[in-house]
Amino acid sequence: AGSGAALAQAGNEWPHYGADQSNTRYSTLNQINTGNVKDLKVVWAHSMGTLESQESTPIIIGDTMYVTSSTGPKYVFALDAKTGARKWSYQPELPSDYMSTVCCGLDNRGVAVANGKVFYGRLDAKLDALDAKTGKRLWSVTVADYKKGYAITSAPLVVKDLVITGMAGGEYGVRGFVAAYKQSTGEQVWKTYTIPGEGEPGNETWKGDSWKTGGASTWGVGSYDAKRNLVYWSTSNAGPWGAHTRGSDSSDVSQYPNLGSASQLAFDADTGKINWQYQYTPHDAWDFDGINEGVLTDLTIGGSKIPALLHADRNGFFYVLNRDTGKVVAADPFVTVNWATHVDLVTGRPVEAPNNEKRPQLGKWARNVCPNLIGGKNWSPMSYSMQTGLVYLPAFNMCMDIANREEEYTPGKFYLASEFNLGMPGATGDNLAEFIAWDPVAKKKVWSIPEANMWASGAMTTAGGLVFYGNIDGMLKALDAKTGKVLWQFRVGTGITQSAVTYAIDGKQYLAIVAGRVKGPPSFFGKLGQKMMEASPEGGILMVFAL
């Protein structure tokens, strides 16, 4: 690992989910560049074997690509990264009812690879280690009980001799955690709950026993800073969404901020001890999951060098945190935000709209809240270019009506205590999404591309002066990273939500994308969901391009 920002950047290989442990999704390869990207052609393709949504980031080590499908019959593939020929595939035996406790469509965002092993998190909340050469299972551990609503949807993080995973289940009344296992044996080394338990500082910020079903799951991905030996993981919404269940109905969040939820946590990599935490949305009542990735880099702000963690939150604010201390350096809206007027940089807290008008209450609707609960940005990853110093991110332009309601908790059943209408376009224009170039130092949008339908995909940047992203209509695009000019596009035939990756073998640079439209519960999205389904044909495909 490199110094400062753990910047062991991706070059010929794409060794981690986010390219590097800093989650920059930046590659130093430049054979494909602004001058020749127009000549990209498909060199091979591989079916993902299912019509479910596909959200995987391929990992490339040497000449092998490791990629996951969202569901069976085959769940993990090892492919020849040059030709697409299959080396092996893996099919775990999942229980027949595992789908009944997966919130939002069947998905898997990829594996982690280290020390000759492939680590794979499953929808039944198990973690498997496979032999990277043969695909043979070496060990399997139960991370949590899937019958209670736990699942694993994202790639684990490999740190030294550990493999670290988060978990999903915030809609099922679970209590979130992050857990670390020995890569060699699967023995658990540490497990840290995101919500403080009885007798722990912060437990009093949860009303009564609400901490036991408080959500704060960790279904996104982690980052790692080797110099500080810190693992950064962020947490989901407080559960259930209806905030009256775990505090008061009002925006006086000082008594019940529900610590641990909608937060950024920094863990000691060896022990799992929480070093610091920062809460993006105290006493969350909007389902503003804080799970989006933390991107690590060093920024020069006002003449001094800041060890930064960059985070574009579902709540609509773009954050720059000091990753040493957790102190907020900047927080600025990157989409239309009206639930809060601003973030107070002294207290670190958002200042909510006056008179609780945008905070849902029991039986009282908060109308036209922006952004909606799909967020200013959802899980699709952003990218930080070392070349331009800009962040490239997919954003939504959507608002909602939302209210709290009474609901009983039943283990293994959806637990929201909330009702909502998401089928509302946003405050600016009739485009439902946009792709944004953001300057984290100047704290402003440099350029943006409106997208008619919701869900612009994740981003990837390269030293060739390029940024790549796609959309739900299935168009993969290469842009000039400085200007946003579209230099190349290709229709892959199904919706794209994940970002492209790039790698080189025998001196030739390749570009790979996994595509397969969002399934999600259409009821969440209303009429807009129907529109999205119509825009994007079903299908799961991995496509690889080269000059």
mmCIF file of all heavy atoms in Angstrom, residues 145-180:
data_model
loop_
_atom_site.group_PDB
_atom_site.id
_atom_site.type_symbol
_atom_site.label_atom_id
_atom_site.label_comp_id
_atom_site.label_asym_id
_atom_site.label_seq_id
_atom_site.Cartn_x
_atom_site.Cartn_y
_atom_site.Cartn_z
ATOM 1 N N ASP A 145 -27.751 -14.484 10.840
ATOM 2 C CA ASP A 145 -28.889 -15.352 10.545
ATOM 3 C C ASP A 145 -29.783 -14.693 9.493
ATOM 4 O O ASP A 145 -30.459 -13.708 9.784
ATOM 5 C CB ASP A 145 -29.672 -15.606 11.841
ATOM 6 C CG ASP A 145 -30.875 -16.515 11.644
ATOM 7 O OD1 ASP A 145 -31.135 -16.936 10.487
ATOM 8 O OD2 ASP A 145 -31.573 -16.790 12.635
ATOM 9 N N TYR A 146 -29.794 -15.274 8.293
ATOM 10 C CA TYR A 146 -30.574 -14.667 7.208
ATOM 11 C C TYR A 146 -32.072 -14.648 7.515
ATOM 12 O O TYR A 146 -32.799 -13.786 7.035
ATOM 13 C CB TYR A 146 -30.306 -15.386 5.877
ATOM 14 C CG TYR A 146 -31.020 -16.716 5.722
ATOM 15 C CD1 TYR A 146 -32.255 -16.780 5.084
ATOM 16 C CD2 TYR A 146 -30.475 -17.890 6.226
ATOM 17 C CE1 TYR A 146 -32.926 -17.991 4.950
ATOM 18 C CE2 TYR A 146 -31.134 -19.101 6.100
ATOM 19 C CZ TYR A 146 -32.360 -19.146 5.471
ATOM 20 O OH TYR A 146 -33.022 -20.331 5.349
ATOM 21 N N LYS A 147 -32.533 -15.582 8.351
ATOM 22 C CA LYS A 147 -33.970 -15.651 8.672
ATOM 23 C C LYS A 147 -34.435 -14.409 9.441
ATOM 24 O O LYS A 147 -35.619 -14.104 9.491
ATOM 25 C CB LYS A 147 -34.290 -16.909 9.477
ATOM 26 C CG LYS A 147 -34.249 -18.185 8.625
ATOM 27 C CD LYS A 147 -34.673 -19.389 9.439
ATOM 28 C CE LYS A 147 -34.557 -20.695 8.672
ATOM 29 N NZ LYS A 147 -35.536 -20.841 7.593
ATOM 30 N N LYS A 148 -33.473 -13.685 10.035
ATOM 31 C CA LYS A 148 -33.832 -12.454 10.765
ATOM 32 C C LYS A 148 -33.747 -11.228 9.859
ATOM 33 O O LYS A 148 -33.931 -10.102 10.306
ATOM 34 C CB LYS A 148 -32.914 -12.283 11.971
ATOM 35 C CG LYS A 148 -33.185 -13.326 13.039
ATOM 36 C CD LYS A 148 -32.394 -13.052 14.303
ATOM 37 C CE LYS A 148 -32.758 -14.081 15.374
ATOM 38 N NZ LYS A 148 -31.653 -14.289 16.329
ATOM 39 N N GLY A 149 -33.405 -11.442 8.580
ATOM 40 C CA GLY A 149 -33.354 -10.315 7.649
ATOM 41 C C GLY A 149 -31.962 -9.900 7.231
ATOM 42 O O GLY A 149 -31.793 -8.967 6.459
ATOM 43 N N TYR A 150 -30.934 -10.596 7.736
ATOM 44 C CA TYR A 150 -29.567 -10.258 7.353
ATOM 45 C C TYR A 150 -29.229 -10.820 5.969
ATOM 46 O O TYR A 150 -29.712 -11.894 5.594
ATOM 47 C CB TYR A 150 -28.562 -10.843 8.354
ATOM 48 C CG TYR A 150 -28.525 -10.162 9.701
ATOM 49 C CD1 TYR A 150 -29.241 -10.665 10.787
ATOM 50 C CD2 TYR A 150 -27.755 -9.018 9.897
ATOM 51 C CE1 TYR A 150 -29.200 -10.044 12.039
ATOM 52 C CE2 TYR A 150 -27.701 -8.394 11.136
ATOM 53 C CZ TYR A 150 -28.429 -8.906 12.201
ATOM 54 O OH TYR A 150 -28.369 -8.283 13.424
ATOM 55 N N ALA A 151 -28.381 -10.117 5.232
ATOM 56 C CA ALA A 151 -27.876 -10.591 3.938
ATOM 57 C C ALA A 151 -26.538 -9.914 3.710
ATOM 58 O O ALA A 151 -26.186 -8.952 4.406
ATOM 59 C CB ALA A 151 -28.848 -10.233 2.813
ATOM 60 N N ILE A 152 -25.763 -10.416 2.732
ATOM 61 C CA ILE A 152 -24.542 -9.703 2.301
ATOM 62 C C ILE A 152 -24.690 -9.454 0.807
ATOM 63 O O ILE A 152 -24.921 -10.389 0.036
ATOM 64 C CB ILE A 152 -23.263 -10.516 2.586
ATOM 65 C CG1 ILE A 152 -23.128 -10.805 4.088
ATOM 66 C CG2 ILE A 152 -22.021 -9.752 2.105
ATOM 67 C CD1 ILE A 152 -21.964 -11.722 4.459
ATOM 68 N N THR A 153 -24.586 -8.187 0.408
ATOM 69 C CA THR A 153 -24.782 -7.821 -0.999
ATOM 70 C C THR A 153 -23.538 -7.208 -1.637
ATOM 71 O O THR A 153 -23.433 -7.179 -2.856
ATOM 72 C CB THR A 153 -25.950 -6.824 -1.141
ATOM 73 O OG1 THR A 153 -25.728 -5.719 -0.261
ATOM 74 C CG2 THR A 153 -27.282 -7.476 -0.783
ATOM 75 N N SER A 154 -22.624 -6.691 -0.814
ATOM 76 C CA SER A 154 -21.463 -5.984 -1.381
ATOM 77 C C SER A 154 -20.167 -6.771 -1.197
ATOM 78 O O SER A 154 -20.095 -7.704 -0.394
ATOM 79 C CB SER A 154 -21.323 -4.605 -0.744
ATOM 80 O OG SER A 154 -22.334 -3.751 -1.246
ATOM 81 N N ALA A 155 -19.156 -6.347 -1.938
ATOM 82 C CA ALA A 155 -17.845 -7.010 -1.870
ATOM 83 C C ALA A 155 -17.209 -6.769 -0.507
ATOM 84 O O ALA A 155 -17.284 -5.673 0.045
ATOM 85 C CB ALA A 155 -16.943 -6.455 -2.965
ATOM 86 N N PRO A 156 -16.536 -7.796 0.033
ATOM 87 C CA PRO A 156 -15.777 -7.583 1.261
ATOM 88 C C PRO A 156 -14.531 -6.732 0.987
ATOM 89 O O PRO A 156 -14.228 -6.431 -0.179
ATOM 90 C CB PRO A 156 -15.390 -8.996 1.704
ATOM 91 C CG PRO A 156 -15.830 -9.944 0.647
ATOM 92 C CD PRO A 156 -16.404 -9.157 -0.484
ATOM 93 N N LEU A 157 -13.834 -6.378 2.053
ATOM 94 C CA LEU A 157 -12.601 -5.595 1.965
ATOM 95 C C LEU A 157 -11.462 -6.447 2.510
ATOM 96 O O LEU A 157 -11.580 -7.020 3.590
ATOM 97 C CB LEU A 157 -12.748 -4.319 2.798
ATOM 98 C CG LEU A 157 -11.537 -3.389 2.919
ATOM 99 C CD1 LEU A 157 -11.254 -2.674 1.603
ATOM 100 C CD2 LEU A 157 -11.761 -2.353 4.027
ATOM 101 N N VAL A 158 -10.362 -6.559 1.741
ATOM 102 C CA VAL A 158 -9.205 -7.314 2.235
ATOM 103 C C VAL A 158 -8.169 -6.337 2.793
ATOM 104 O O VAL A 158 -7.801 -5.366 2.137
ATOM 105 C CB VAL A 158 -8.592 -8.222 1.144
ATOM 106 C CG1 VAL A 158 -9.471 -9.443 0.921
ATOM 107 C CG2 VAL A 158 -8.382 -7.493 -0.174
ATOM 108 N N VAL A 159 -7.759 -6.595 4.035
ATOM 109 C CA VAL A 159 -6.795 -5.747 4.745
ATOM 110 C C VAL A 159 -5.800 -6.648 5.448
ATOM 111 O O VAL A 159 -6.190 -7.447 6.308
ATOM 112 C CB VAL A 159 -7.519 -4.856 5.785
ATOM 113 C CG1 VAL A 159 -6.514 -4.149 6.677
ATOM 114 C CG2 VAL A 159 -8.437 -3.849 5.102
ATOM 115 N N LYS A 160 -4.517 -6.561 5.054
ATOM 116 C CA LYS A 160 -3.488 -7.423 5.655
ATOM 117 C C LYS A 160 -3.954 -8.888 5.581
ATOM 118 O O LYS A 160 -4.310 -9.364 4.506
ATOM 119 C CB LYS A 160 -3.149 -6.950 7.075
ATOM 120 C CG LYS A 160 -2.583 -5.526 7.057
ATOM 121 C CD LYS A 160 -1.920 -5.127 8.347
ATOM 122 C CE LYS A 160 -2.883 -4.574 9.344
ATOM 123 N NZ LYS A 160 -2.224 -3.907 10.463
ATOM 124 N N ASP A 161 -4.026 -9.598 6.737
ATOM 125 C CA ASP A 161 -4.428 -11.015 6.670
ATOM 126 C C ASP A 161 -5.909 -11.199 7.000
ATOM 127 O O ASP A 161 -6.367 -12.295 7.317
ATOM 128 C CB ASP A 161 -3.567 -11.858 7.615
ATOM 129 C CG ASP A 161 -3.733 -11.435 9.082
ATOM 130 O OD1 ASP A 161 -4.298 -10.346 9.334
ATOM 131 O OD2 ASP A 161 -3.315 -12.196 9.966
ATOM 132 N N LEU A 162 -6.676 -10.093 6.928
ATOM 133 C CA LEU A 162 -8.101 -10.138 7.264
ATOM 134 C C LEU A 162 -8.982 -9.965 6.029
ATOM 135 O O LEU A 162 -8.571 -9.358 5.037
ATOM 136 C CB LEU A 162 -8.455 -9.022 8.258
ATOM 137 C CG LEU A 162 -7.748 -9.023 9.612
ATOM 138 C CD1 LEU A 162 -8.194 -7.818 10.431
ATOM 139 C CD2 LEU A 162 -8.012 -10.321 10.362
ATOM 140 N N VAL A 163 -10.200 -10.485 6.114
ATOM 141 C CA VAL A 163 -11.251 -10.154 5.143
ATOM 142 C C VAL A 163 -12.420 -9.613 5.979
ATOM 143 O O VAL A 163 -12.843 -10.232 6.956
ATOM 144 C CB VAL A 163 -11.649 -11.356 4.259
ATOM 145 C CG1 VAL A 163 -12.001 -12.590 5.063
ATOM 146 C CG2 VAL A 163 -12.803 -10.970 3.326
ATOM 147 N N ILE A 164 -12.865 -8.407 5.620
ATOM 148 C CA ILE A 164 -13.824 -7.673 6.447
ATOM 149 C C ILE A 164 -15.110 -7.485 5.638
ATOM 150 O O ILE A 164 -15.061 -7.113 4.469
ATOM 151 C CB ILE A 164 -13.228 -6.311 6.864
ATOM 152 C CG1 ILE A 164 -11.864 -6.525 7.545
ATOM 153 C CG2 ILE A 164 -14.175 -5.548 7.778
ATOM 154 C CD1 ILE A 164 -11.092 -5.244 7.835
ATOM 155 N N THR A 165 -16.247 -7.738 6.283
ATOM 156 C CA THR A 165 -17.513 -7.598 5.569
ATOM 157 C C THR A 165 -18.535 -6.811 6.372
ATOM 158 O O THR A 165 -18.531 -6.843 7.608
ATOM 159 C CB THR A 165 -18.107 -8.984 5.197
ATOM 160 O OG1 THR A 165 -19.300 -8.786 4.419
ATOM 161 C CG2 THR A 165 -18.470 -9.810 6.422
ATOM 162 N N GLY A 166 -19.390 -6.106 5.652
ATOM 163 C CA GLY A 166 -20.572 -5.498 6.243
ATOM 164 C C GLY A 166 -21.756 -6.422 6.002
ATOM 165 O O GLY A 166 -21.598 -7.565 5.575
ATOM 166 N N MET A 167 -22.986 -5.902 6.272
ATOM 167 C CA MET A 167 -24.185 -6.709 6.081
ATOM 168 C C MET A 167 -25.370 -5.805 5.773
ATOM 169 O O MET A 167 -25.379 -4.620 6.088
ATOM 170 C CB MET A 167 -24.470 -7.568 7.325
ATOM 171 C CG MET A 167 -24.168 -6.967 8.677
ATOM 172 S SD MET A 167 -25.016 -5.417 9.123
ATOM 173 C CE MET A 167 -26.698 -6.002 9.274
ATOM 174 N N ALA A 168 -26.372 -6.388 5.120
ATOM 175 C CA ALA A 168 -27.593 -5.668 4.800
ATOM 176 C C ALA A 168 -28.708 -6.135 5.721
ATOM 177 O O ALA A 168 -28.567 -7.151 6.405
ATOM 178 C CB ALA A 168 -27.962 -5.926 3.340
ATOM 179 N N GLY A 169 -29.820 -5.397 5.733
ATOM 180 C CA GLY A 169 -30.977 -5.809 6.532
ATOM 181 C C GLY A 169 -31.649 -4.688 7.286
ATOM 182 O O GLY A 169 -32.484 -4.922 8.155
ATOM 183 N N GLY A 170 -31.300 -3.434 6.959
ATOM 184 C CA GLY A 170 -31.845 -2.277 7.676
ATOM 185 C C GLY A 170 -33.357 -2.143 7.624
ATOM 186 O O GLY A 170 -33.946 -1.466 8.456
ATOM 187 N N GLU A 171 -34.008 -2.818 6.660
ATOM 188 C CA GLU A 171 -35.471 -2.750 6.553
ATOM 189 C C GLU A 171 -36.146 -3.861 7.356
ATOM 190 O O GLU A 171 -37.354 -4.015 7.307
ATOM 191 C CB GLU A 171 -35.908 -2.851 5.086
ATOM 192 C CG GLU A 171 -35.861 -1.526 4.343
ATOM 193 C CD GLU A 171 -34.470 -0.896 4.317
ATOM 194 O OE1 GLU A 171 -33.576 -1.428 3.641
ATOM 195 O OE2 GLU A 171 -34.286 0.131 4.984
ATOM 196 N N TYR A 172 -35.353 -4.671 8.055
ATOM 197 C CA TYR A 172 -35.905 -5.829 8.774
ATOM 198 C C TYR A 172 -35.711 -5.744 10.280
ATOM 199 O O TYR A 172 -35.833 -6.746 10.976
ATOM 200 C CB TYR A 172 -35.262 -7.118 8.247
ATOM 201 C CG TYR A 172 -35.707 -7.452 6.843
ATOM 202 C CD1 TYR A 172 -34.970 -7.020 5.741
ATOM 203 C CD2 TYR A 172 -36.874 -8.178 6.613
ATOM 204 C CE1 TYR A 172 -35.379 -7.311 4.444
ATOM 205 C CE2 TYR A 172 -37.293 -8.467 5.327
ATOM 206 C CZ TYR A 172 -36.553 -8.033 4.247
ATOM 207 O OH TYR A 172 -36.972 -8.314 2.976
ATOM 208 N N GLY A 173 -35.352 -4.568 10.779
ATOM 209 C CA GLY A 173 -35.181 -4.442 12.223
ATOM 210 C C GLY A 173 -33.967 -5.172 12.760
ATOM 211 O O GLY A 173 -33.984 -5.720 13.860
ATOM 212 N N VAL A 174 -32.869 -5.174 11.986
ATOM 213 C CA VAL A 174 -31.630 -5.798 12.467
ATOM 214 C C VAL A 174 -30.800 -4.752 13.214
ATOM 215 O O VAL A 174 -31.133 -3.566 13.195
ATOM 216 C CB VAL A 174 -30.805 -6.383 11.297
ATOM 217 C CG1 VAL A 174 -31.612 -7.394 10.503
ATOM 218 C CG2 VAL A 174 -30.275 -5.274 10.383
ATOM 219 N N ARG A 175 -29.727 -5.195 13.840
ATOM 220 C CA ARG A 175 -28.744 -4.275 14.447
ATOM 221 C C ARG A 175 -27.452 -4.450 13.664
ATOM 222 O O ARG A 175 -26.898 -5.549 13.591
ATOM 223 C CB ARG A 175 -28.549 -4.617 15.920
ATOM 224 C CG ARG A 175 -27.566 -3.703 16.644
ATOM 225 C CD ARG A 175 -27.390 -4.152 18.092
ATOM 226 N NE ARG A 175 -26.337 -3.406 18.768
ATOM 227 C CZ ARG A 175 -25.606 -3.880 19.773
ATOM 228 N NH1 ARG A 175 -25.826 -5.106 20.236
ATOM 229 N NH2 ARG A 175 -24.660 -3.143 20.330
ATOM 230 N N GLY A 176 -26.972 -3.361 13.059
ATOM 231 C CA GLY A 176 -25.850 -3.424 12.128
ATOM 232 C C GLY A 176 -24.518 -3.726 12.787
ATOM 233 O O GLY A 176 -24.326 -3.493 13.984
ATOM 234 N N PHE A 177 -23.593 -4.247 11.980
ATOM 235 C CA PHE A 177 -22.233 -4.503 12.463
ATOM 236 C C PHE A 177 -21.283 -4.641 11.277
ATOM 237 O O PHE A 177 -21.697 -4.759 10.128
ATOM 238 C CB PHE A 177 -22.175 -5.765 13.339
ATOM 239 C CG PHE A 177 -22.531 -7.048 12.630
ATOM 240 C CD1 PHE A 177 -21.582 -7.757 11.894
ATOM 241 C CD2 PHE A 177 -23.827 -7.547 12.689
ATOM 242 C CE1 PHE A 177 -21.908 -8.941 11.238
ATOM 243 C CE2 PHE A 177 -24.158 -8.735 12.035
ATOM 244 C CZ PHE A 177 -23.202 -9.433 11.305
ATOM 245 N N VAL A 178 -19.984 -4.616 11.588
ATOM 246 C CA VAL A 178 -18.921 -4.964 10.637
ATOM 247 C C VAL A 178 -18.123 -6.079 11.297
ATOM 248 O O VAL A 178 -17.895 -6.037 12.510
ATOM 249 C CB VAL A 178 -18.021 -3.739 10.326
ATOM 250 C CG1 VAL A 178 -16.846 -4.135 9.445
ATOM 251 C CG2 VAL A 178 -18.835 -2.634 9.651
ATOM 252 N N ALA A 179 -17.723 -7.110 10.506
ATOM 253 C CA ALA A 179 -17.005 -8.249 11.092
ATOM 254 C C ALA A 179 -15.770 -8.584 10.263
ATOM 255 O O ALA A 179 -15.784 -8.467 9.035
ATOM 256 C CB ALA A 179 -17.929 -9.465 11.181
ATOM 257 N N ALA A 180 -14.698 -8.991 10.952
ATOM 258 C CA ALA A 180 -13.423 -9.323 10.304
ATOM 259 C C ALA A 180 -13.059 -10.769 10.585
ATOM 260 O O ALA A 180 -13.219 -11.252 11.714
ATOM 261 C CB ALA A 180 -12.320 -8.407 10.821
#
